[in-house]
Amino acid sequence: MFSVECHCGNLKLITNEHPASITSCNCSICYRLGALWAYYDSEKVTVRVGDKSVDTYSWGEKSITYHRCGECGCITHYTTVETNGNEMTAINCRMASSSITDKIPVRQFDGLLTWKYRDV
Ligand SMILES: [Zn+2]
């Protein structure tokens, strides 16, 4: 099992699959967020929301929606609809304990220019 939660605990995500790797992306928003992403089919992720609000953010073609706790402001995940029609959820592993994420390899993704991993 792998689970994360925002700072205040209002927003939690749970999945059965521990991430094999997590991704650091340098695109215009991921770089600002400092997020570390693990990618899942959305149907494999359970999202639990407490009694506080959740805000969303998207821009441009609005193909990606970022989800942020309305109480503590942490970005916990983003969701996107893939070309095959399936929804994908990217969990922000910064919402997990560093004692867990420190053991997971981090891959560098060049989302700014080449749209490729820089470690291949
Ligand atoms: Zn929160």
Side-chain angles (χ1 to χ4, degrees):
M1 194 189 88
F2 182 71
S3 66
V4 305
E5 66 178 39
C6 67
H7 193 258
C8 73
N10 178 51
L11 197 43
K12 297 182 183 180
L13 285 85
I14 304 158
T15 179
N16 286 327
E17 294 177 18
H18 198 79
S21 67
I22 49 185
T23 294
S24 172
C25 174
N26 65 351
C27 82
S28 63
I29 185 162
C30 294
Y31 182 82
R32 284 173 166 82
L33 296 174
L36 293 172
W37 304 113
Y39 306 109
Y40 295 94
D41 288 339
S42 290
E43 60 187 19
K44 294 182 176 174
V45 178
T46 301
V47 180
R48 292 196 183 140
V49 182
D51 56 3
K52 308 296 184 185
S53 65
V54 176
D55 297 330
T56 60
Y57 174 69
S58 59
W59 80 101
E61 296 176 359
K62 301 195 186 299
S63 56
I64 297 175
T65 303
Y66 289 80
H67 301 258
R68 176 181 62 236
C69 174
E71 180 74 2
C72 69
C74 291
I75 300 259
T76 53
H77 63 296
Y78 72 74
T79 52
T80 180
V81 176
E82 300 296 287
T83 51
N84 60 10
N86 294 327
E87 189 178 81
M88 188 267 280
T89 295
I91 295 176
N92 183 2
C93 295
R94 291 281 189 201
M95 301 301 123
S97 165
S98 62
S99 65
I100 297 170
T101 54
D102 283 353
K103 300 187 179 87
I104 306 171
V106 177
R107 300 188 67 196
Q108 303 292 327
F109 186 75
D110 183 10
L112 187 63
L113 296 174
T114 65
W115 203 247
K116 289 176 181 168
Y117 280 99
R118 289 185 279 173
D119 54 8
V120 291

mmCIF file of all heavy atoms in Angstrom, residues 6-11 69 71-74, ligand 1:
data_model
loop_
_atom_site.group_PDB
_atom_site.id
_atom_site.type_symbol
_atom_site.label_atom_id
_atom_site.label_comp_id
_atom_site.label_asym_id
_atom_site.label_seq_id
_atom_site.Cartn_x
_atom_site.Cartn_y
_atom_site.Cartn_z
ATOM 1 N N CYS A 6 -2.118 15.574 2.571
ATOM 2 C CA CYS A 6 -1.666 16.962 2.646
ATOM 3 C C CYS A 6 -1.269 17.290 4.077
ATOM 4 O O CYS A 6 -1.448 16.485 4.993
ATOM 5 C CB CYS A 6 -2.759 17.898 2.139
ATOM 6 S SG CYS A 6 -4.226 17.949 3.188
ATOM 7 N N HIS A 7 -0.767 18.461 4.303
ATOM 8 C CA HIS A 7 -0.216 18.819 5.621
ATOM 9 C C HIS A 7 -1.258 18.760 6.720
ATOM 10 O O HIS A 7 -0.981 18.315 7.838
ATOM 11 C CB HIS A 7 0.398 20.226 5.546
ATOM 12 C CG HIS A 7 1.245 20.561 6.727
ATOM 13 N ND1 HIS A 7 0.814 21.366 7.755
ATOM 14 C CD2 HIS A 7 2.502 20.177 7.038
ATOM 15 C CE1 HIS A 7 1.784 21.469 8.650
ATOM 16 N NE2 HIS A 7 2.820 20.761 8.244
ATOM 17 N N CYS A 8 -2.479 19.180 6.425
ATOM 18 C CA CYS A 8 -3.516 19.211 7.465
ATOM 19 C C CYS A 8 -4.321 17.917 7.511
ATOM 20 O O CYS A 8 -5.128 17.726 8.425
ATOM 21 C CB CYS A 8 -4.439 20.411 7.262
ATOM 22 S SG CYS A 8 -5.581 20.263 5.880
ATOM 23 N N GLY A 9 -4.139 17.030 6.538
ATOM 24 C CA GLY A 9 -4.827 15.739 6.557
ATOM 25 C C GLY A 9 -6.188 15.746 5.892
ATOM 26 O O GLY A 9 -6.877 14.722 5.878
ATOM 27 N N ASN A 10 -6.587 16.875 5.315
ATOM 28 C CA ASN A 10 -7.907 16.962 4.671
ATOM 29 C C ASN A 10 -7.996 16.106 3.411
ATOM 30 O O ASN A 10 -9.042 15.564 3.091
ATOM 31 C CB ASN A 10 -8.195 18.422 4.327
ATOM 32 C CG ASN A 10 -9.516 18.607 3.627
ATOM 33 O OD1 ASN A 10 -10.548 18.133 4.084
ATOM 34 N ND2 ASN A 10 -9.491 19.308 2.508
ATOM 35 N N LEU A 11 -6.891 15.985 2.704
ATOM 36 C CA LEU A 11 -6.872 15.337 1.394
ATOM 37 C C LEU A 11 -5.901 14.161 1.452
ATOM 38 O O LEU A 11 -4.705 14.339 1.710
ATOM 39 C CB LEU A 11 -6.442 16.373 0.349
ATOM 40 C CG LEU A 11 -6.667 16.180 -1.134
ATOM 41 C CD1 LEU A 11 -8.048 15.629 -1.431
ATOM 42 C CD2 LEU A 11 -6.480 17.521 -1.831
ATOM 43 N N CYS A 69 -5.368 21.216 -1.550
ATOM 44 C CA CYS A 69 -6.172 21.343 -0.332
ATOM 45 C C CYS A 69 -6.509 22.800 -0.082
ATOM 46 O O CYS A 69 -5.629 23.654 -0.073
ATOM 47 C CB CYS A 69 -5.419 20.764 0.861
ATOM 48 S SG CYS A 69 -6.282 21.038 2.424
ATOM 49 N N GLU A 71 -7.451 24.066 2.625
ATOM 50 C CA GLU A 71 -7.085 24.468 3.986
ATOM 51 C C GLU A 71 -5.586 24.764 4.098
ATOM 52 O O GLU A 71 -5.189 25.848 4.457
ATOM 53 C CB GLU A 71 -7.489 23.356 4.969
ATOM 54 C CG GLU A 71 -7.154 23.647 6.415
ATOM 55 C CD GLU A 71 -8.070 24.690 7.046
ATOM 56 O OE1 GLU A 71 -8.996 25.162 6.372
ATOM 57 O OE2 GLU A 71 -7.824 25.045 8.215
ATOM 58 N N CYS A 72 -4.744 23.788 3.754
ATOM 59 C CA CYS A 72 -3.296 23.968 3.962
ATOM 60 C C CYS A 72 -2.559 24.327 2.673
ATOM 61 O O CYS A 72 -1.392 24.709 2.721
ATOM 62 C CB CYS A 72 -2.682 22.720 4.588
ATOM 63 S SG CYS A 72 -2.634 21.277 3.494
ATOM 64 N N GLY A 73 -3.217 24.219 1.516
ATOM 65 C CA GLY A 73 -2.629 24.677 0.265
ATOM 66 C C GLY A 73 -1.741 23.678 -0.444
ATOM 67 O O GLY A 73 -1.183 23.995 -1.504
ATOM 68 N N CYS A 74 -1.584 22.479 0.097
ATOM 69 C CA CYS A 74 -0.697 21.501 -0.540
ATOM 70 C C CYS A 74 -1.320 20.925 -1.810
ATOM 71 O O CYS A 74 -2.503 20.572 -1.828
ATOM 72 C CB CYS A 74 -0.398 20.348 0.415
ATOM 73 S SG CYS A 74 0.636 20.806 1.805
HETATM 74 ZN ZN ZN B 1 -4.630 20.169 3.813
#
